[in-house]
Amino acid sequence: PAFPRFFGQVSGTARLDSVWTDVRFRNADITHRFEDGEPSRFTGNGRVTIGEKFLVYDLALDARPLSLTTVARAYPEAELIYRGSFSGPLRLQGQSDDLALVTELTGAPGTLAYDGRVDADSVDGYGYHGTLRFSNLDLRLLLDTTSVPHTQLFGSAELEVTGDSLANWEGPVDVALDRSLVDSVR
């Protein structure tokens, strides 16, 4: 019951050296599938410990790829608006209501890097507190919509947002754009 409601099938292999309440693994090669979506595949090492209220994670993974489109469908409570497949390292430490996340993921929509904390399970909803960097980012591909023009965005965003759904997030977002393109306008 401590695991988040995440649908689909997870399969793969890993070398375990642990007890049930403190699962340590290495040489993991894990694949997540949901319906007909592109699978996500992760390799790496880590540890998952059963805490008093939440699971505690210490994971060093490499996503090859991470399909945000499939994750959004398999984990609807997260309200992910981003789409596409990305590859790169993921470092997660902590529990779901205070999870340190360091990653740099690259895919067709561009490169997204995040260094900060994520709250995916508190009474106040969700929260992001950290720095999001982006380069060569095409919002049309990232949001999977034709309602925005193609872009090549470079910059960063300092995030301090919380809320129980995407529609009512609150908090400052400080965006700094470097030289970028929106459609054909620099």
PDB file of all heavy atoms in Angstrom, residues 13-40:
ATOM      1  N   THR A  13      15.375  -7.733 -14.460  1.00  0.00           N
ATOM      2  CA  THR A  13      16.267  -8.467 -13.569  1.00  0.00           C
ATOM      3  C   THR A  13      17.074  -7.487 -12.722  1.00  0.00           C
ATOM      4  O   THR A  13      17.276  -6.331 -13.097  1.00  0.00           O
ATOM      5  CB  THR A  13      17.253  -9.345 -14.369  1.00  0.00           C
ATOM      6  OG1 THR A  13      18.042  -8.492 -15.204  1.00  0.00           O
ATOM      7  CG2 THR A  13      16.527 -10.375 -15.207  1.00  0.00           C
ATOM      8  N   ALA A  14      17.517  -7.994 -11.576  1.00  0.00           N
ATOM      9  CA  ALA A  14      18.395  -7.219 -10.695  1.00  0.00           C
ATOM     10  C   ALA A  14      19.045  -8.193  -9.728  1.00  0.00           C
ATOM     11  O   ALA A  14      18.484  -9.234  -9.402  1.00  0.00           O
ATOM     12  CB  ALA A  14      17.615  -6.167  -9.927  1.00  0.00           C
ATOM     13  N   ARG A  15      20.229  -7.855  -9.274  1.00  0.00           N
ATOM     14  CA  ARG A  15      20.916  -8.639  -8.239  1.00  0.00           C
ATOM     15  C   ARG A  15      20.508  -8.051  -6.897  1.00  0.00           C
ATOM     16  O   ARG A  15      20.740  -6.865  -6.645  1.00  0.00           O
ATOM     17  CB  ARG A  15      22.414  -8.547  -8.430  1.00  0.00           C
ATOM     18  CG  ARG A  15      23.204  -9.086  -7.278  1.00  0.00           C
ATOM     19  CD  ARG A  15      23.281 -10.577  -7.241  1.00  0.00           C
ATOM     20  NE  ARG A  15      24.415 -10.996  -8.031  1.00  0.00           N
ATOM     21  CZ  ARG A  15      24.611 -12.238  -8.384  1.00  0.00           C
ATOM     22  NH1 ARG A  15      23.741 -13.166  -8.054  1.00  0.00           N
ATOM     23  NH2 ARG A  15      25.653 -12.568  -9.076  1.00  0.00           N
ATOM     24  N   LEU A  16      19.845  -8.870  -6.054  1.00  0.00           N
ATOM     25  CA  LEU A  16      19.359  -8.408  -4.756  1.00  0.00           C
ATOM     26  C   LEU A  16      20.324  -8.829  -3.647  1.00  0.00           C
ATOM     27  O   LEU A  16      20.885  -9.925  -3.680  1.00  0.00           O
ATOM     28  CB  LEU A  16      17.971  -8.986  -4.463  1.00  0.00           C
ATOM     29  CG  LEU A  16      16.864  -8.612  -5.439  1.00  0.00           C
ATOM     30  CD1 LEU A  16      15.572  -9.321  -5.058  1.00  0.00           C
ATOM     31  CD2 LEU A  16      16.654  -7.116  -5.474  1.00  0.00           C
ATOM     32  N   ASP A  17      20.483  -7.952  -2.668  1.00  0.00           N
ATOM     33  CA  ASP A  17      21.285  -8.237  -1.485  1.00  0.00           C
ATOM     34  C   ASP A  17      20.589  -7.533  -0.338  1.00  0.00           C
ATOM     35  O   ASP A  17      20.953  -6.415   0.023  1.00  0.00           O
ATOM     36  CB  ASP A  17      22.711  -7.709  -1.675  1.00  0.00           C
ATOM     37  CG  ASP A  17      23.576  -7.955  -0.436  1.00  0.00           C
ATOM     38  OD1 ASP A  17      23.180  -8.768   0.421  1.00  0.00           O
ATOM     39  OD2 ASP A  17      24.626  -7.302  -0.316  1.00  0.00           O
ATOM     40  N   SER A  18      19.545  -8.178   0.217  1.00  0.00           N
ATOM     41  CA  SER A  18      18.717  -7.419   1.130  1.00  0.00           C
ATOM     42  C   SER A  18      17.735  -8.298   1.880  1.00  0.00           C
ATOM     43  O   SER A  18      17.697  -9.509   1.703  1.00  0.00           O
ATOM     44  CB  SER A  18      17.931  -6.385   0.330  1.00  0.00           C
ATOM     45  OG  SER A  18      17.179  -7.020  -0.686  1.00  0.00           O
ATOM     46  N   VAL A  19      16.924  -7.613   2.695  1.00  0.00           N
ATOM     47  CA  VAL A  19      15.762  -8.216   3.332  1.00  0.00           C
ATOM     48  C   VAL A  19      14.538  -7.487   2.787  1.00  0.00           C
ATOM     49  O   VAL A  19      14.651  -6.428   2.168  1.00  0.00           O
ATOM     50  CB  VAL A  19      15.838  -8.096   4.874  1.00  0.00           C
ATOM     51  CG1 VAL A  19      17.005  -8.891   5.404  1.00  0.00           C
ATOM     52  CG2 VAL A  19      15.910  -6.657   5.326  1.00  0.00           C
ATOM     53  N   TRP A  20      13.351  -8.011   3.035  1.00  0.00           N
ATOM     54  CA  TRP A  20      12.127  -7.467   2.455  1.00  0.00           C
ATOM     55  C   TRP A  20      11.913  -5.993   2.795  1.00  0.00           C
ATOM     56  O   TRP A  20      11.443  -5.210   1.980  1.00  0.00           O
ATOM     57  CB  TRP A  20      10.936  -8.308   2.904  1.00  0.00           C
ATOM     58  CG  TRP A  20       9.626  -7.742   2.466  1.00  0.00           C
ATOM     59  CD1 TRP A  20       8.653  -7.242   3.264  1.00  0.00           C
ATOM     60  CD2 TRP A  20       9.154  -7.585   1.120  1.00  0.00           C
ATOM     61  NE1 TRP A  20       7.593  -6.793   2.511  1.00  0.00           N
ATOM     62  CE2 TRP A  20       7.882  -6.996   1.177  1.00  0.00           C
ATOM     63  CE3 TRP A  20       9.677  -7.880  -0.127  1.00  0.00           C
ATOM     64  CZ2 TRP A  20       7.134  -6.701   0.058  1.00  0.00           C
ATOM     65  CZ3 TRP A  20       8.925  -7.580  -1.245  1.00  0.00           C
ATOM     66  CH2 TRP A  20       7.676  -7.009  -1.142  1.00  0.00           C
ATOM     67  N   THR A  21      12.265  -5.564   4.017  1.00  0.00           N
ATOM     68  CA  THR A  21      12.007  -4.189   4.444  1.00  0.00           C
ATOM     69  C   THR A  21      13.099  -3.211   4.002  1.00  0.00           C
ATOM     70  O   THR A  21      12.959  -2.003   4.181  1.00  0.00           O
ATOM     71  CB  THR A  21      11.877  -4.118   5.974  1.00  0.00           C
ATOM     72  OG1 THR A  21      13.068  -4.639   6.563  1.00  0.00           O
ATOM     73  CG2 THR A  21      10.670  -4.915   6.451  1.00  0.00           C
ATOM     74  N   ASP A  22      14.181  -3.726   3.435  1.00  0.00           N
ATOM     75  CA  ASP A  22      15.292  -2.884   2.994  1.00  0.00           C
ATOM     76  C   ASP A  22      15.897  -3.533   1.751  1.00  0.00           C
ATOM     77  O   ASP A  22      16.864  -4.280   1.826  1.00  0.00           O
ATOM     78  CB  ASP A  22      16.335  -2.759   4.106  1.00  0.00           C
ATOM     79  CG  ASP A  22      17.464  -1.820   3.741  1.00  0.00           C
ATOM     80  OD1 ASP A  22      17.274  -0.947   2.865  1.00  0.00           O
ATOM     81  OD2 ASP A  22      18.552  -1.959   4.332  1.00  0.00           O
ATOM     82  N   VAL A  23      15.300  -3.245   0.588  1.00  0.00           N
ATOM     83  CA  VAL A  23      15.679  -3.900  -0.660  1.00  0.00           C
ATOM     84  C   VAL A  23      16.833  -3.130  -1.310  1.00  0.00           C
ATOM     85  O   VAL A  23      16.670  -1.991  -1.728  1.00  0.00           O
ATOM     86  CB  VAL A  23      14.474  -3.978  -1.626  1.00  0.00           C
ATOM     87  CG1 VAL A  23      14.888  -4.616  -2.939  1.00  0.00           C
ATOM     88  CG2 VAL A  23      13.332  -4.741  -0.986  1.00  0.00           C
ATOM     89  N   ARG A  24      17.994  -3.769  -1.367  1.00  0.00           N
ATOM     90  CA  ARG A  24      19.152  -3.204  -2.073  1.00  0.00           C
ATOM     91  C   ARG A  24      19.319  -4.002  -3.360  1.00  0.00           C
ATOM     92  O   ARG A  24      19.221  -5.235  -3.362  1.00  0.00           O
ATOM     93  CB  ARG A  24      20.409  -3.302  -1.215  1.00  0.00           C
ATOM     94  CG  ARG A  24      20.355  -2.400  -0.004  1.00  0.00           C
ATOM     95  CD  ARG A  24      21.625  -2.534   0.798  1.00  0.00           C
ATOM     96  NE  ARG A  24      21.838  -3.909   1.167  1.00  0.00           N
ATOM     97  CZ  ARG A  24      21.782  -4.393   2.391  1.00  0.00           C
ATOM     98  NH1 ARG A  24      21.516  -3.594   3.390  1.00  0.00           N
ATOM     99  NH2 ARG A  24      21.998  -5.666   2.630  1.00  0.00           N
ATOM    100  N   PHE A  25      19.595  -3.292  -4.455  1.00  0.00           N
ATOM    101  CA  PHE A  25      19.761  -3.981  -5.724  1.00  0.00           C
ATOM    102  C   PHE A  25      20.901  -3.349  -6.520  1.00  0.00           C
ATOM    103  O   PHE A  25      21.257  -2.199  -6.318  1.00  0.00           O
ATOM    104  CB  PHE A  25      18.452  -3.957  -6.535  1.00  0.00           C
ATOM    105  CG  PHE A  25      18.010  -2.585  -6.937  1.00  0.00           C
ATOM    106  CD1 PHE A  25      18.428  -2.019  -8.133  1.00  0.00           C
ATOM    107  CD2 PHE A  25      17.168  -1.848  -6.114  1.00  0.00           C
ATOM    108  CE1 PHE A  25      18.021  -0.750  -8.508  1.00  0.00           C
ATOM    109  CE2 PHE A  25      16.757  -0.569  -6.485  1.00  0.00           C
ATOM    110  CZ  PHE A  25      17.184  -0.028  -7.683  1.00  0.00           C
ATOM    111  N   ARG A  26      21.450  -4.143  -7.421  1.00  0.00           N
ATOM    112  CA  ARG A  26      22.475  -3.646  -8.344  1.00  0.00           C
ATOM    113  C   ARG A  26      22.290  -4.357  -9.675  1.00  0.00           C
ATOM    114  O   ARG A  26      21.595  -5.372  -9.771  1.00  0.00           O
ATOM    115  CB  ARG A  26      23.879  -3.835  -7.783  1.00  0.00           C
ATOM    116  CG  ARG A  26      24.288  -5.263  -7.596  1.00  0.00           C
ATOM    117  CD  ARG A  26      25.738  -5.327  -7.093  1.00  0.00           C
ATOM    118  NE  ARG A  26      26.185  -6.701  -7.183  1.00  0.00           N
ATOM    119  CZ  ARG A  26      26.347  -7.510  -6.162  1.00  0.00           C
ATOM    120  NH1 ARG A  26      26.132  -7.079  -4.947  1.00  0.00           N
ATOM    121  NH2 ARG A  26      26.729  -8.749  -6.349  1.00  0.00           N
ATOM    122  N   ASN A  27      22.902  -3.797 -10.696  1.00  0.00           N
ATOM    123  CA  ASN A  27      22.805  -4.356 -12.048  1.00  0.00           C
ATOM    124  C   ASN A  27      21.357  -4.559 -12.483  1.00  0.00           C
ATOM    125  O   ASN A  27      21.039  -5.531 -13.164  1.00  0.00           O
ATOM    126  CB  ASN A  27      23.579  -5.679 -12.164  1.00  0.00           C
ATOM    127  CG  ASN A  27      25.034  -5.510 -11.827  1.00  0.00           C
ATOM    128  OD1 ASN A  27      25.633  -4.476 -12.089  1.00  0.00           O
ATOM    129  ND2 ASN A  27      25.628  -6.524 -11.216  1.00  0.00           N
ATOM    130  N   ALA A  28      20.500  -3.635 -12.102  1.00  0.00           N
ATOM    131  CA  ALA A  28      19.092  -3.735 -12.477  1.00  0.00           C
ATOM    132  C   ALA A  28      18.913  -3.396 -13.955  1.00  0.00           C
ATOM    133  O   ALA A  28      19.605  -2.542 -14.501  1.00  0.00           O
ATOM    134  CB  ALA A  28      18.249  -2.793 -11.630  1.00  0.00           C
ATOM    135  N   ASP A  29      17.995  -4.083 -14.574  1.00  0.00           N
ATOM    136  CA  ASP A  29      17.564  -3.808 -15.943  1.00  0.00           C
ATOM    137  C   ASP A  29      16.053  -4.008 -15.942  1.00  0.00           C
ATOM    138  O   ASP A  29      15.567  -5.137 -16.065  1.00  0.00           O
ATOM    139  CB  ASP A  29      18.254  -4.740 -16.931  1.00  0.00           C
ATOM    140  CG  ASP A  29      18.000  -4.355 -18.382  1.00  0.00           C
ATOM    141  OD1 ASP A  29      17.094  -3.525 -18.636  1.00  0.00           O
ATOM    142  OD2 ASP A  29      18.695  -4.890 -19.250  1.00  0.00           O
ATOM    143  N   ILE A  30      15.317  -2.922 -15.744  1.00  0.00           N
ATOM    144  CA  ILE A  30      13.874  -2.962 -15.486  1.00  0.00           C
ATOM    145  C   ILE A  30      13.127  -2.233 -16.605  1.00  0.00           C
ATOM    146  O   ILE A  30      13.530  -1.148 -17.019  1.00  0.00           O
ATOM    147  CB  ILE A  30      13.550  -2.286 -14.134  1.00  0.00           C
ATOM    148  CG1 ILE A  30      14.395  -2.875 -13.004  1.00  0.00           C
ATOM    149  CG2 ILE A  30      12.064  -2.339 -13.833  1.00  0.00           C
ATOM    150  CD1 ILE A  30      14.109  -4.310 -12.681  1.00  0.00           C
ATOM    151  N   THR A  31      12.012  -2.814 -17.050  1.00  0.00           N
ATOM    152  CA  THR A  31      11.185  -2.208 -18.087  1.00  0.00           C
ATOM    153  C   THR A  31       9.760  -2.043 -17.568  1.00  0.00           C
ATOM    154  O   THR A  31       9.209  -2.961 -16.959  1.00  0.00           O
ATOM    155  CB  THR A  31      11.180  -3.077 -19.365  1.00  0.00           C
ATOM    156  OG1 THR A  31      12.523  -3.203 -19.830  1.00  0.00           O
ATOM    157  CG2 THR A  31      10.332  -2.454 -20.457  1.00  0.00           C
ATOM    158  N   HIS A  32       9.181  -0.856 -17.802  1.00  0.00           N
ATOM    159  CA  HIS A  32       7.785  -0.594 -17.464  1.00  0.00           C
ATOM    160  C   HIS A  32       6.989  -0.487 -18.757  1.00  0.00           C
ATOM    161  O   HIS A  32       7.372   0.241 -19.674  1.00  0.00           O
ATOM    162  CB  HIS A  32       7.647   0.720 -16.675  1.00  0.00           C
ATOM    163  CG  HIS A  32       6.223   1.145 -16.540  1.00  0.00           C
ATOM    164  ND1 HIS A  32       5.697   2.187 -17.273  1.00  0.00           N
ATOM    165  CD2 HIS A  32       5.216   0.669 -15.781  1.00  0.00           C
ATOM    166  CE1 HIS A  32       4.415   2.329 -16.960  1.00  0.00           C
ATOM    167  NE2 HIS A  32       4.107   1.424 -16.054  1.00  0.00           N
ATOM    168  N   ARG A  33       5.880  -1.222 -18.807  1.00  0.00           N
ATOM    169  CA  ARG A  33       4.975  -1.178 -19.962  1.00  0.00           C
ATOM    170  C   ARG A  33       3.567  -0.870 -19.469  1.00  0.00           C
ATOM    171  O   ARG A  33       3.150  -1.351 -18.411  1.00  0.00           O
ATOM    172  CB  ARG A  33       4.968  -2.525 -20.683  1.00  0.00           C
ATOM    173  CG  ARG A  33       6.249  -2.866 -21.377  1.00  0.00           C
ATOM    174  CD  ARG A  33       6.172  -4.265 -22.034  1.00  0.00           C
ATOM    175  NE  ARG A  33       7.360  -4.555 -22.790  1.00  0.00           N
ATOM    176  CZ  ARG A  33       8.493  -4.998 -22.268  1.00  0.00           C
ATOM    177  NH1 ARG A  33       8.578  -5.223 -20.976  1.00  0.00           N
ATOM    178  NH2 ARG A  33       9.546  -5.234 -23.031  1.00  0.00           N
ATOM    179  N   PHE A  34       2.847  -0.093 -20.272  1.00  0.00           N
ATOM    180  CA  PHE A  34       1.442   0.172 -19.972  1.00  0.00           C
ATOM    181  C   PHE A  34       0.689   0.250 -21.286  1.00  0.00           C
ATOM    182  O   PHE A  34       1.009   1.064 -22.154  1.00  0.00           O
ATOM    183  CB  PHE A  34       1.271   1.472 -19.182  1.00  0.00           C
ATOM    184  CG  PHE A  34      -0.165   1.761 -18.837  1.00  0.00           C
ATOM    185  CD1 PHE A  34      -0.872   0.928 -17.994  1.00  0.00           C
ATOM    186  CD2 PHE A  34      -0.808   2.867 -19.354  1.00  0.00           C
ATOM    187  CE1 PHE A  34      -2.202   1.186 -17.670  1.00  0.00           C
ATOM    188  CE2 PHE A  34      -2.128   3.147 -19.046  1.00  0.00           C
ATOM    189  CZ  PHE A  34      -2.819   2.296 -18.192  1.00  0.00           C
ATOM    190  N   GLU A  35      -0.281  -0.632 -21.411  1.00  0.00           N
ATOM    191  CA  GLU A  35      -1.102  -0.725 -22.612  1.00  0.00           C
ATOM    192  C   GLU A  35      -0.201  -0.745 -23.846  1.00  0.00           C
ATOM    193  O   GLU A  35       0.765  -1.483 -23.882  1.00  0.00           O
ATOM    194  CB  GLU A  35      -2.149   0.397 -22.633  1.00  0.00           C
ATOM    195  CG  GLU A  35      -3.142   0.273 -21.489  1.00  0.00           C
ATOM    196  CD  GLU A  35      -4.119   1.428 -21.401  1.00  0.00           C
ATOM    197  OE1 GLU A  35      -3.857   2.503 -21.978  1.00  0.00           O
ATOM    198  OE2 GLU A  35      -5.151   1.259 -20.729  1.00  0.00           O
ATOM    199  N   ASP A  36      -0.523   0.068 -24.873  1.00  0.00           N
ATOM    200  CA  ASP A  36       0.262   0.020 -26.106  1.00  0.00           C
ATOM    201  C   ASP A  36       1.309   1.133 -26.175  1.00  0.00           C
ATOM    202  O   ASP A  36       1.903   1.373 -27.222  1.00  0.00           O
ATOM    203  CB  ASP A  36      -0.655   0.102 -27.321  1.00  0.00           C
ATOM    204  CG  ASP A  36      -1.446   1.402 -27.375  1.00  0.00           C
ATOM    205  OD1 ASP A  36      -1.495   2.120 -26.350  1.00  0.00           O
ATOM    206  OD2 ASP A  36      -2.021   1.700 -28.433  1.00  0.00           O
ATOM    207  N   GLY A  37       1.578   1.804 -25.054  1.00  0.00           N
ATOM    208  CA  GLY A  37       2.539   2.901 -25.035  1.00  0.00           C
ATOM    209  C   GLY A  37       3.975   2.428 -25.132  1.00  0.00           C
ATOM    210  O   GLY A  37       4.294   1.261 -24.866  1.00  0.00           O
ATOM    211  N   GLU A  38       4.859   3.347 -25.518  1.00  0.00           N
ATOM    212  CA  GLU A  38       6.285   3.029 -25.587  1.00  0.00           C
ATOM    213  C   GLU A  38       6.780   2.672 -24.186  1.00  0.00           C
ATOM    214  O   GLU A  38       6.520   3.388 -23.224  1.00  0.00           O
ATOM    215  CB  GLU A  38       7.065   4.234 -26.113  1.00  0.00           C
ATOM    216  CG  GLU A  38       8.561   3.983 -26.159  1.00  0.00           C
ATOM    217  CD  GLU A  38       9.365   5.208 -26.557  1.00  0.00           C
ATOM    218  OE1 GLU A  38       8.817   6.328 -26.579  1.00  0.00           O
ATOM    219  OE2 GLU A  38      10.554   5.040 -26.820  1.00  0.00           O
ATOM    220  N   PRO A  39       7.497   1.561 -24.041  1.00  0.00           N
ATOM    221  CA  PRO A  39       7.997   1.191 -22.714  1.00  0.00           C
ATOM    222  C   PRO A  39       9.119   2.117 -22.246  1.00  0.00           C
ATOM    223  O   PRO A  39       9.813   2.732 -23.047  1.00  0.00           O
ATOM    224  CB  PRO A  39       8.508  -0.234 -22.897  1.00  0.00           C
ATOM    225  CG  PRO A  39       8.590  -0.475 -24.354  1.00  0.00           C
ATOM    226  CD  PRO A  39       7.795   0.568 -25.053  1.00  0.00           C
ATOM    227  N   SER A  40       9.266   2.196 -20.934  1.00  0.00           N
ATOM    228  CA  SER A  40      10.403   2.879 -20.313  1.00  0.00           C
ATOM    229  C   SER A  40      11.348   1.810 -19.776  1.00  0.00           C
ATOM    230  O   SER A  40      10.898   0.788 -19.255  1.00  0.00           O
ATOM    231  CB  SER A  40       9.943   3.759 -19.148  1.00  0.00           C
ATOM    232  OG  SER A  40       9.125   4.808 -19.594  1.00  0.00           O
TER     233      SER A  40
END
